[in-house]
Amino acid sequence: MLSVHQLTCFLAAYEQGSLTRAAEELGYAQPSVSEQIRTLEKSLGVQLFRRVGRGVTPTTVADTLRPYAERVLASIDEAERAVRSVRSLETGTIRFGMFGTARLYAGADLVADVLERYPGVRVELVGQNSTDVQEELRRGRLEAAMIAVAAASSEGMTITPVARDELVYISADPERVASPVTAARLSQASLVMPETTWRANDSTRIVLRQMLHETGRNPMTRIEVEDVETAVELVGMGLADSVVPRGVVDQLLPRLAPDAGWVSLRPRQHDILAIVHRADAILSPAAQLMIELATHRIQEICEPVRPR
Amino acid sequence: MLSVHQLTCFLAAYEQGSLTRAAEELGYAQPSVSEQIRTLEKSLGVQLFRRVGRGVTPTTVADTLRPYAERVLASIDEAERAVRSVRSLETGTIRFGMFGTARLYAGADLVADVLERYPGVRVELVGQNSTDVQEELRRGRLEAAMIAVAAASSEGMTITPVARDELVYISADPERVASPVTAARLSQASLVMPETTWRANDSTRIVLRQMLHETGRNPMTRIEVEDVETAVELVGMGLADSVVPRGVVDQLLPRLAPDAGWVSLRPRQHDILAIVHRADAILSPAAQLMIELATHRIQEICEPVRPR
DNA sequence: GCCTGACATAGGATCGACCTATGCTTTCTG
DNA sequence: CAGAAAGCATAGGTCGATCCTATGTCAGGC
């Protein structure tokens, strides 16, 4: 019989490509992990890793097993969370992923909403970068999240669009925001982009790359900074221009770059804000609450999107 | 940590409404099930059953847990089934290395052969260049491959020759293919060689270098192109001559260089096509299948070599 | 009040998980 | 090319979890 333990060790070994590192990650000695993998292989009757000098390499069977193993662990995790959250809306912790612009202008209000209804709970908004959030979702450590996503859906995830947010060009130079910005003009601009936006697999990045690609040019020289706030400040100082969601403009421009203006791109482009969770997940009451509240908040600020 | 075992016992008890009957169903003694439930309750910190005289009755928490527990067991089951179906080649991915001329004239047919017998599988032919293939073999990321090899065997690899393919001289100039080409004539020729052939550690390269060496000259000026197809086309345009395996001639010459002719070298030289795998490897059914099919295909096209 | 069905507890046997120590092979390095 | 380093396998021992049988306890039925 497969055990959770074996699958945990298997996944760690798969991801680390090494039994030793897997053991470190799990806090065990190396032979223990080795033994778990061996019994797992034996009980399945297949070889999962090839031992070859440095480290281990997964076989194709291991590739096949991996998503199933992840799913088992995720469902175990869901089970635990479900039980805890039965009384947990009184006392537990609610975790919710929220990355990108969504976090920026709905985070605080969302926490307030939850606390108003359930004064006893602890709220945790996870979301330094979207790779983390997606990884936590995939691993089942996070039930659901609201993130800005590209149109394409990730494997095994259910993506429910709730709102869209226009991407606009901001600049301290009035001339450059006098008329909609085309791809050609964009390719010549000197932009500052928050690193999170560039690295993230979200609409902003994809849209901009596509626009640049159409001009037949390489990506322009650009400044990368850590967060949107800094980017907006730099724009306010006239050091560069940027492309940000409309919500950010309303939220930050008056405060951080009062002299800057904004204008649409041509054609208009949008970030899609969506709720994302594992396709096979049963959502806990807490997660459903967060989704409901977050959707409500976002749709107050951005243009709602009705799912088909 | 939740264990599968605990959940199994929980579900049996939930459905039977009795620990004794649950134990019977599972083939355990009653105290064993009792203990499992108790540890489960302890680790979750909640009461799952109320002990009321006759039998046990689930609490609301147990009602909540049940669908999650069922899901966990179902996903475990799916994981096992997935692996078993891979084992029987019903699904999963088969990876096989195939470099050089072998890939060129057996690749597509080989994939077709596999898919005909096992419609569910995904086939992956690895083989952009032979260095990659050998590296992947050595690292254990590939189980087996068919490549054109030099007579010398690589360390730690088992090499099983299956066919040989004559190396012939091709040219658009009828005079130059009127009689067998000797080393001396070869050294004066202006050749175009596909880069893959030159860089690979295969017979072609070794044979030609040896022939050139005998004339006491350095390698002749030559054109290097990316693939065999391009080389043959250049020959067809009369820009250079080349040395390619006989199989390539049959396959490509009529299509890409209809006016070119070919002639043997003197003495005749051959590429050896062989199955290569790690000497210590136990080959999976999938790999054995690929080897069998690939060998069959190749021997239809080239002259079979019987291993001693 | 006694019997019966059903869960809890106790104590011992067995199995599995984990550890440390060590050996072997591959890979890196001087 | 030899020695060091890294990484997996094996061996042997400890400990805890699991499972068993036997027995205790409690509620419901006659």
Side-chain angles (χ1 to χ4, degrees):
Chain A
M1 182 60 180
L2 291 194
S3 80
V4 180
H5 209 101
Q6 290 169 344
L7 294 180
T8 308
C9 291
F10 164 74
L11 277 184
Y14 187 100
E15 279 157 22
Q16 298 288 337
S18 152
L19 300 190
T20 304
R21 282 203 298 279
E24 275 166 21
E25 181 190 318
L26 299 173
Y28 294 135
Q30 168 260 316
S32 304
V33 175
S34 188
E35 186 181 355
Q36 292 302 319
I37 302 287
R38 210 164 335 111
T39 34
L40 178 59
E41 285 178 330
K42 200 171 157 190
S43 83
L44 290 175
V46 295
Q47 192 176 6
L48 293 172
F49 295 97
R50 289 199 196 87
R51 281 74 167 171
V52 42
R54 281 288 208 270
V56 293
T57 61
T59 63
T60 56
V61 186
D63 294 335
T64 306
L65 177 60
R66 186 175 71 119
Y68 292 92
E70 279 174 351
R71 189 176 157 165
V72 170
L73 296 194
S75 58
I76 289 256
D77 219 61
E78 278 166 24
E80 278 181 321
R81 255 205 320 270
V83 170
R84 302 207 189 290
S85 72
V86 163
R87 26 157 222 201
S88 80
L89 290 188
E90 306 295 319
T91 167
T93 298
I94 300 182
R95 276 164 56 93
F96 189 70
M98 186 161 246
F99 170 69
T101 55
R103 172 186 61 85
L104 190 65
Y105 42 86
D109 288 338
L110 181 57
V111 173
D113 285 346
V114 176
L115 290 183
E116 189 187 348
R117 277 170 65 169
Y118 301 100
V121 302
R122 235 174 62 82
V123 182
E124 218 173 283
L125 282 189
V126 178
Q128 273 299 25
N129 71 63
S130 90
T131 314
D132 274 6
V133 171
Q134 290 191 8
E135 179 69 10
E136 300 241 306
L137 278 169
R138 203 173 58 82
R139 295 281 215 98
R141 293 175 38 77
L142 207 52
E143 274 192 279
M146 167 170 290
I147 55 184
V149 292
S153 74
S154 305
E155 181 126 354
M157 292 291 171
T158 298
I159 299 185
T160 314
V162 294
R164 63 178 203 172
D165 198 8
E166 186 180 354
L167 298 177
V168 298
Y169 188 93
I170 59 174
S171 175
D173 181 346
E175 275 188 23
R176 294 207 285 270
V177 293
S179 64
V181 173
T182 61
R185 269 185 57 202
L186 191 62
S187 74
Q188 288 161 2
S190 165
L191 295 185
V192 51
M193 298 297 294
E195 187 180 20
T196 45
T197 302
W198 274 103
R199 295 246 173 106
N201 184 25
D202 64 11
S203 317
T204 312
R205 173 186 175 212
I206 288 175
V207 162
L208 291 188
R209 281 214 308 203
Q210 209 165 15
M211 287 183 105
L212 290 176
H213 192 252
E214 280 166 8
T215 70
R217 304 211 180 173
N218 283 338
M220 62 261 158
T221 39
R222 62 179 185 271
I223 312 169
E224 284 194 15
V225 295
E226 194 59 31
D227 49 67
V228 183
E229 286 88 343
T230 310
V232 170
E233 278 190 89
L234 287 171
V235 170
M237 293 159 72
L239 294 175
D241 298 347
S242 188
V243 174
V244 296
R246 178 64 200 286
V248 171
V249 169
D250 298 343
Q251 206 77 7
L252 299 182
L253 223 58
R255 186 156 51 88
L256 297 178
D259 299 333
W262 63 270
V263 67
S264 292
L265 299 177
R266 171 171 298 164
R268 285 173 189 269
Q269 303 289 344
H270 295 87
D271 253 5
I272 304 291
L273 297 170
I275 298 292
V276 183
H277 59 82
R278 291 176 62 90
D280 51 23
I282 301 170
L283 295 178
S284 70
Q288 286 170 17
L289 170 73
M290 291 301 282
I291 288 175
E292 183 196 326
L293 292 178
T295 302
H296 190 249
R297 274 289 174 192
I298 285 294
Q299 291 186 339
E300 274 181 354
I301 298 171
C302 305
E303 183 185 350
V305 170
R306 278 279 137 247
R308 292 141 284 177
Chain B
M1 183 60 183
L2 291 194
S3 80
V4 181
H5 210 136
Q6 290 168 346
L7 295 179
T8 309
C9 292
F10 164 74
L11 277 184
Y14 187 99
E15 281 155 21
Q16 299 288 338
S18 153
L19 300 192
T20 305
R21 283 204 298 278
E24 277 167 19
E25 180 190 322
L26 298 174
Y28 293 135
Q30 168 261 317
S32 304
V33 175
S34 186
E35 187 181 357
Q36 291 301 319
I37 302 289
R38 211 170 330 115
T39 36
L40 177 60
E41 285 179 328
K42 198 171 158 192
S43 83
L44 289 175
V46 294
Q47 192 177 6
L48 293 172
F49 295 99
R50 258 186 294 279
R51 281 73 170 169
V52 289
R54 287 282 206 271
V56 291
T57 59
T59 63
T60 57
V61 187
D63 294 334
T64 307
L65 177 59
R66 188 175 68 116
Y68 292 92
E70 281 172 350
R71 177 173 292 262
V72 170
L73 296 193
S75 59
I76 291 251
D77 216 61
E78 277 167 29
E80 281 181 320
R81 260 207 316 274
V83 171
R84 299 207 191 293
S85 76
V86 167
R87 226 171 42 153
S88 52
L89 291 183
E90 285 163 17
T91 173
T93 302
I94 299 181
R95 208 183 288 137
F96 188 70
M98 187 162 244
F99 169 68
T101 54
R103 172 185 60 83
L104 189 66
Y105 41 85
D109 288 338
L110 181 57
V111 173
D113 286 346
V114 176
L115 290 183
E116 189 188 346
R117 275 172 65 170
Y118 301 100
V121 301
R122 235 174 63 82
V123 181
E124 221 172 279
L125 281 190
V126 177
Q128 274 299 24
N129 71 63
S130 89
T131 314
D132 273 6
V133 170
Q134 290 193 5
E135 179 68 11
E136 300 241 308
L137 278 168
R138 207 174 50 83
R139 296 288 210 91
R141 291 172 42 76
L142 255 183
E143 273 192 281
M146 167 171 289
I147 55 184
V149 292
S153 75
S154 305
E155 181 120 357
M157 292 290 172
T158 298
I159 299 186
T160 314
V162 294
R164 64 179 202 170
D165 199 8
E166 186 181 353
L167 297 177
V168 298
Y169 188 94
I170 60 174
S171 175
D173 181 346
E175 276 187 21
R176 295 208 285 269
V177 293
S179 64
V181 174
T182 61
R185 269 185 56 201
L186 191 61
S187 74
Q188 289 161 3
S190 165
L191 295 186
V192 53
M193 298 298 293
E195 186 179 22
T196 45
T197 303
W198 273 103
R199 295 248 172 104
N201 182 25
D202 64 10
S203 316
T204 312
R205 172 184 175 213
I206 287 175
V207 163
L208 293 187
R209 280 214 308 203
Q210 210 165 17
M211 286 182 107
L212 290 175
H213 193 252
E214 281 167 7
T215 69
R217 303 206 181 177
N218 283 338
M220 62 259 157
T221 39
R222 60 177 187 270
I223 313 169
E224 284 194 15
V225 296
E226 193 59 32
D227 49 69
V228 183
E229 285 88 342
T230 310
V232 170
E233 279 190 90
L234 287 172
V235 171
M237 293 158 72
L239 294 175
D241 297 347
S242 189
V243 174
V244 296
R246 179 66 199 284
V248 171
V249 169
D250 298 342
Q251 206 77 6
L252 298 181
L253 222 58
R255 185 155 53 87
L256 297 178
D259 299 332
W262 64 271
V263 67
S264 292
L265 299 177
R266 171 169 297 165
R268 287 173 188 270
Q269 303 290 344
H270 295 88
D271 253 4
I272 303 292
L273 297 170
I275 299 292
V276 183
H277 59 81
R278 292 176 61 89
D280 52 16
I282 299 170
L283 295 178
S284 70
Q288 287 170 17
L289 170 73
M290 291 302 281
I291 289 175
E292 181 196 327
L293 292 177
T295 302
H296 189 250
R297 274 290 175 191
I298 286 295
Q299 291 185 340
E300 274 181 353
I301 298 171
C302 306
E303 181 186 351
V305 169
R306 279 279 136 245
R308 291 142 285 177

